[in-house]
C-alpha cells in the first residue's frame, strides 16, 4: 500500500455569508473554489494533465453549486480538460472526506496525483428553499426511526445532558476570537490564504472578513439563545416541532438553550484544497512533501444528538495508527458549536492549549463543504510553525457522523 504525501494546501479567506454584506457573495462558487485550485497549480508548477481527479465537498449542491462543482471549478481554473472531478456531500465533513477519499485512491495504487477539498457559498445557499431529510422530504419512516432535530438544538441538548454551561461555551468562544486575532495579526494564515478576484480582475477579498476581535464576555452574555424559539415552533401543518422530535427520545428532558451567534460557527463563504501525491509521482516531478497522511477514519454516533461522533472517530483513527491521544501534538476540532470541542477535550482529556490554537469556526466561520480542507491546512501550517510532528483533525457532521485524519510531518 502506497503512502500518501501532502504536498501543499491553499484556501480562500472566508467572507461573511450574508447577501449584500459579504465580499464573496457576488463571486460565483465555481470561481471561489477555482481560486484555491489555481493557486496549488501555480505554486507547485503542476502539469494539470496529470491530475487523476479533483474531489470537492459541498453541502448544498443546487444551482450555482450543482452540476459537479469540482469539474466546473477545475475548468474555471484553466486546467487541462483531462483533469476529471466529482463532488460529494457529507454535510460539514465533506471537505475532509474529500481529502480522505483522494488519499485512498493513491493508497490503492490506482491514482498518483489528487486535488481534494471543498467549497461553500453559504450566502447563496441561504437563498434556496430549506431542506431537511426528516421533515421536508416527508419520510415518516425515517422520522419515526430517527427523530433528528436541528443541529443547533442538538448542541443545546448535548450541553444539557453533559452539564456544559453557557459560561463554559462563552469562555471558549471568547478564546477562539482572541486566538484568531493573534493568528491574523501575526500572519499565521498567510502561507495558505490566497486572494479572490472578480471576473474583471478587481479584488474581491484578501483577508478574513468574519472575526470579531472586539468580542467581550459581557457582549456574549447579552446575546439571546438562537434556537429557543425554533424549538417549539410548528414545522408543518400537522403541528410537528423539533420539541416533539426530541421528546420521542428524551421524554423528560428540559433543554437549557445556551448556544447563540457568538458561541456557534459563523455563516461564511469560502473554499479550500489540498494537493496529494504518491511518493513515486512526487519524486519524479520534484514535489516536496510537507506531511504524510498516517491514518483516516469515519465514525457514526447518535443521529438524534448528531454532534458527538468526533470522539469515537478520533479513538478509531488512533487505534488504527497504533497511537494514543498523548502521541498527538496538535488538534483541530471544528467549532460547529462550542459544545463540540468542549466535549471532545473533556472526554479524551486533551489539553485545551493544543486544540484550535489559532481560533476556530466560532471566530472565523464554517463554510460547510470547505471547512475540513481549510482546517487541515491550518493544522499543517501551525505544526510547521511550532516544529511539531503529529496532528489530528476531526469534525461533527449531520446525521451523527465524523471523519478524522491524523497527519505526520516530513
Amino acid at each position: 500500500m502506497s503512502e500518501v504525501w501532502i504536498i501543499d494546501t491553499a484556501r480562500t479567506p472566508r467572507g461573511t455569508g450574508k447577501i449584500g454584506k459579504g465580499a464573496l457573495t457576488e463571486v460565483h462558487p465555481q470561481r471561489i473554489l477555482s481560486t484555491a485550485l489555481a493557486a496549488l497549480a501555480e505554486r507547485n508548477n503542476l502539469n494539470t494533465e496529470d491530475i487523476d481527479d479533483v474531489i470537492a465537498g459541498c453541502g448544498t449542491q443546487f444551482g450555482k453549486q450543482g452540476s459537479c462543482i469540482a469539474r466546473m471549478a477545475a475548468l474555471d481554473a484553466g486546467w487541462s480538460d483531462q483533469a476529471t472531478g466529482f463532488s460529494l456531500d457529507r454535510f460539514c465533513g465533506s471537505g475532509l472526506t474529500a481529502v480522505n477519499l483522494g488519499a485512498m485512491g493513491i493508497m490503492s495504487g490506482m491514482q498518483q496525483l489528487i486535488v481534494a477539498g471543498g467549497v461553500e457559498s453559504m450566502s447563496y445557499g441561504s437563498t434556496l428553499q430549506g431542506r431537511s431529510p426528516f421533515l421536508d422530504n416527508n419520510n415518516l419512516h425515517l422520522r419515526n426511526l430517527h427523530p433528528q432535530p436541528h443541529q443547533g438544538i442538538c448542541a443545546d441538548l448535548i450541553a444539557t445532558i453533559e452539564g456544559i454551561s453557557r459560561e463554559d461555551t462563552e469562555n471558549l468562544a471568547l478564546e477562539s476570537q482572541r486566538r484568531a486575532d493573534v493568528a491574523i495579526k501575526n500572519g499565521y494564515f498567510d502561507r495558505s490564504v490566497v486572494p479572490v478576484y472578480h471576473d474583471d480582475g478587481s479584488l474581491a477579498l484578501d483577508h478574513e472578513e468574519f472575526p470579531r476581535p472586539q468580542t467581550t464576555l459581557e457582549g456574549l452574555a447579552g446575546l439571546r439563545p438562537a434556537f429557543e424559539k425554533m424549538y417549539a415552533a410548528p414545522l408543518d401543518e400537522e403541528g410537528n416541532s423539533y420539541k416533539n422530535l426530541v421528546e420521542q427520545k428524551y421524554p423528560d428532558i428540559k433543554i437549557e438553550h445556551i448556544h447563540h451567534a457568538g458561541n456557534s460557527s459563523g455563516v461564511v463563504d469560502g473554499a479550500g484544497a489540498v494537493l496529494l501525491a504518491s511518493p513515486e509521482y512526487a519524486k519524479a516531478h520534484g514535489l516536496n512533501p510537507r506531511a504524510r497522511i498516517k491514518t483516516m477514519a469515519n465514525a457514526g454516533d447518535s443521529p438524534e444528538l448528531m454532534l458527538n461522533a468526533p470522539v469515537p472517530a478520533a479513538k478509531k483513527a488512533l487505534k488504527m495508527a497504533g497511537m494514543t491521544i498523548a502521541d498527538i501534538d496538535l488538534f483541530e476540532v471544528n467549532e460547529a458549536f462550542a459544545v463540540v470541542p468542549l466535549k471532545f477535550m473533556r472526554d479524551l482529556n486533551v489539553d485545551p492549549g493544543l486544540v484550535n490554537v489559532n481560533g476556530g469556526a466560532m471566530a472565523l466561520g464554517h463554510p460547510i463543504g470547505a471547512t475540513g480542507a481549510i482546517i487541515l491546512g491550518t493544522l499543517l501550517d501551525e505544526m510547521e510553525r511550532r516544529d511539531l510532528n503529529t496532528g489530528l483533525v476531526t469534525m461533527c457532521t449531520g446525521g451523527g457522523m465524523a471523519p478524522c485524519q491524523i497527519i505526520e510531518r516530513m
Side-chain angles (χ1 to χ4, degrees), residues 145-389:
L145 281 174
H146 295 290
Q148 301 171 67
H150 185 277
Q151 61 267 26
I153 290 166
C154 289
D156 288 342
L157 178 58
I158 292 167
T160 301
I161 292 170
E162 299 289 338
I164 294 172
S165 70
R166 175 163 171 161
E167 182 181 11
D168 295 333
T169 64
E170 289 176 347
N171 284 331
L172 184 65
L174 185 67
E175 180 64 5
S176 183
Q177 293 285 353
R178 187 195 69 80
R179 292 178 179 185
D181 189 43
V182 170
I184 291 167
K185 287 178 177 176
N186 287 280
Y188 297 165
F189 299 143
D190 289 356
R191 177 166 185 173
S192 289
V193 174
V194 292
V196 181
Y197 293 91
H198 294 291
D199 287 348
D200 64 5
S202 63
L203 179 67
L205 186 65
D206 64 356
H207 64 278
E208 296 289 351
E209 192 175 33
F210 188 78
R212 293 152 290 178
Q214 72 278 10
T215 300
T216 64
L217 282 177
E218 292 76 17
L220 291 171
L223 294 176
R224 303 176 73 174
F227 309 105
E228 187 170 17
K229 288 185 177 180
M230 176 192 295
Y231 184 53
L235 295 166
D236 55 27
E237 294 179 357
E238 285 74 39
N240 288 295
S241 68
Y242 289 124
K243 185 174 187 288
N244 299 149
L245 298 180
V246 168
E247 290 178 347
Q248 288 182 48
K249 282 286 184 177
Y250 301 94
D252 301 319
I253 197 76
K254 179 173 171 48
I255 292 185
E256 295 292 329
H257 294 282
I258 66 170
H259 286 88
H260 49 66
N263 57 11
S264 305
S265 54
V267 175
V268 295
D269 305 331
V274 180
L275 176 61
L276 305 173
S278 68
E280 295 76 16
Y281 184 92
K283 291 173 183 176
H285 295 84
L287 298 177
N288 297 316
R290 297 173 62 189
R292 62 170 58 89
I293 296 177
K294 195 165 179 67
T295 194
M296 303 160 287
N298 297 308
D301 203 272
S302 164
E304 295 80 8
L305 293 175
M306 196 178 295
L307 312 177
N308 280 344
V311 169
K315 288 180 177 179
K316 186 175 180 180
L318 288 165
K319 183 177 180 181
M320 290 172 63
M323 303 171 74
T324 70
I325 203 75
D327 295 320
I328 303 298
D329 296 322
L330 215 56
F331 299 82
E332 283 287 329
V333 181
N334 187 42
E335 294 173 353
F337 300 92
V339 72
V340 177
L342 284 171
K343 180 172 167 55
F344 182 92
M345 292 184 288
R346 188 184 67 183
D347 288 2
L348 296 178
N349 194 29
V350 176
D351 179 357
L354 302 179
V355 180
N356 303 340
V357 297
N358 289 328
M362 290 187 289
L364 295 157
H366 172 27
I368 304 296
T371 300
I374 289 174
I375 63 177
L376 176 59
T378 298
L379 177 67
L380 179 53
D381 287 347
E382 189 62 17
M383 286 167 59
E384 291 174 339
R385 194 181 74 82
R386 297 186 180 210
D387 195 23
L388 300 175
N389 293 318

Side-chain angles (χ1 to χ4, degrees), residues 4 65 91 114 122 126 128 136 186 211 232 248-249 252 277 289 322 353-354 372 404 407:
V4 183
Q65 295 189 157
F91 302 105
I114 295 287
M122 296 185 76
S126 70
L128 304 174
D136 292 352
N186 287 280
Q248 288 182 48
K249 282 286 184 177
D252 301 319
L354 302 179
C404 183
I407 62 173

